Amino acid sequence: AQKITQTQPGMFVQEKEAVTLDCTYDTSDPSYGLFWYKQPSSGEMIFLIYQGSYDQQNATEGRYSLNFQKARKSANLVISASQLGDSAMYFCAMSPSGAGSYQLTFGKGTKLSVIP
Amino acid sequence: NAGVTQTPKFRVLKTGQSMTLLCAQDMNHEYMYWYRQDPGMGLRLIHYSVGEGTTAKGEVPDGYNVSRLKKQNFLLGLESAAPSQTSVYFCASGRDSRFLTDTQYFGPGTRLTVL
């Protein structure tokens, strides 16, 4: 069974500062995929970034980067230069076998608030 | 290209009533999913389908049934609604597992309240 743990129920960050949202995972699958999603107050789920377990480099997408430490089983999301629009819930998720279109297991989320 | 749509957006039921939630996708995706999201929780998988005519149980399937008669549609049914099924329901779709880095695409959600 797979498990995702997000230990930060809520985080605050000053506008224009960087912030790291923590995610640790547990799985017995030899290969897997890790995802981050953003859920603004409007409710939709927005895909941010993906990291495959065999990827040698950390994934980056614009202001988002994923700090992947396989030995520690962590996949932290780093948001650089925070903006007011980044205020939202953030969910870490994983899928087996690295297949993004397969079953996703989600963490409980971290609520990020960006302070002007 | 509408992506993933869900009908209805909101619904209030009384205990014991039945209803069907409809999910439709226009991306020709093989895989479709139903999740529920409760306060303070991430999404939990209810049922999923890996192709037309197939369905499988997820993490929390009890009290729900699903059908995938057409590739583009995935229906979630509640035969006898209970207050514990008050939740926000998300449908998602995705290409098959050959596309390793693909994300799932989510619908806007249905907010269901069971009194």
Side-chain angles (χ1 to χ4, degrees):
Chain A
Q2 301 182 323
K3 184 177 181 181
I4 295 283
T5 302
Q6 294 179 255
T7 58
Q8 305 154 314
M11 291 277 290
F12 290 90
V13 64
Q14 204 76 34
E15 193 178 7
K16 300 180 184 178
E17 296 292 313
V19 63
T20 298
L21 306 183
D22 294 342
C23 172
T24 58
Y25 60 90
D26 191 22
T27 182
S28 56
D29 291 311
S31 65
Y32 45 90
L34 295 155
F35 300 77
W36 278 92
Y37 291 87
K38 173 184 178 180
Q39 187 178 42
S41 58
S42 52
E44 71 269 31
M45 296 291 288
I46 301 169
F47 166 69
L48 296 178
I49 197 167
Y50 168 85
Q51 178 84 42
S53 59
Y54 285 106
D55 292 342
Q56 295 297 316
Q57 292 187 325
N58 288 340
T60 60
E61 288 286 347
R63 294 186 299 110
Y64 304 108
S65 61
L66 201 153
N67 184 359
F68 180 49
Q69 298 187 49
K70 194 171 183 178
R72 294 187 174 185
K73 294 189 174 180
S74 73
N76 299 338
L77 177 70
V78 180
I79 305 174
S80 63
S82 297
Q83 301 172 356
L84 295 179
D86 293 333
S87 293
M89 285 291 293
Y90 288 82
F91 292 96
C92 180
M94 74 181 301
S95 66
S97 305
S101 285
Y102 208 60
Q103 300 175 54
L104 285 173
T105 299
F106 285 83
K108 293 185 177 182
T110 295
K111 184 175 183 180
L112 178 66
S113 299
V114 180
I115 304 167
Chain B
N1 189 338
V4 180
T5 58
Q6 293 183 230
T7 308
K9 289 184 169 53
F10 303 93
R11 185 72 186 269
V12 178
L13 290 178
K14 295 181 179 179
T15 296
Q17 288 185 318
S18 63
M19 77 161 294
T20 300
L21 280 66
L22 171 63
C23 176
Q25 52 95 3
D26 61 3
M27 296 173 281
N28 201 34
H29 285 167
E30 287 294 332
Y31 292 5
M32 296 187 75
Y33 310 83
W34 277 107
Y35 295 90
R36 62 177 288 173
Q37 183 180 27
D38 300 305
M41 302 284 287
L43 278 66
R44 291 183 293 169
L45 184 65
I46 304 171
H47 286 281
Y48 64 100
S49 169
V50 298
E52 182 178 320
T54 75
T55 63
K57 294 180 179 179
E59 179 186 355
V60 288
D62 294 342
Y64 305 96
N65 56 74
V66 288
S67 63
R68 183 98 181 268
L69 298 179
K70 294 183 179 180
K71 185 177 182 179
Q72 64 268 34
N73 295 337
F74 195 29
L75 279 63
L76 178 71
L78 287 72
E79 290 187 348
S80 179
S84 60
Q85 294 178 303
T86 293
S87 190
V88 180
Y89 291 85
F90 286 95
C91 177
S93 71
R95 295 194 287 179
D96 66 50
S97 58
R98 292 173 298 169
F99 300 92
L100 298 181
T101 64
D102 244 16
T103 181
Q104 294 180 14
Y105 296 82
F106 286 85
T110 294
R111 187 172 296 274
L112 175 66
T113 301
V114 182
L115 302 176

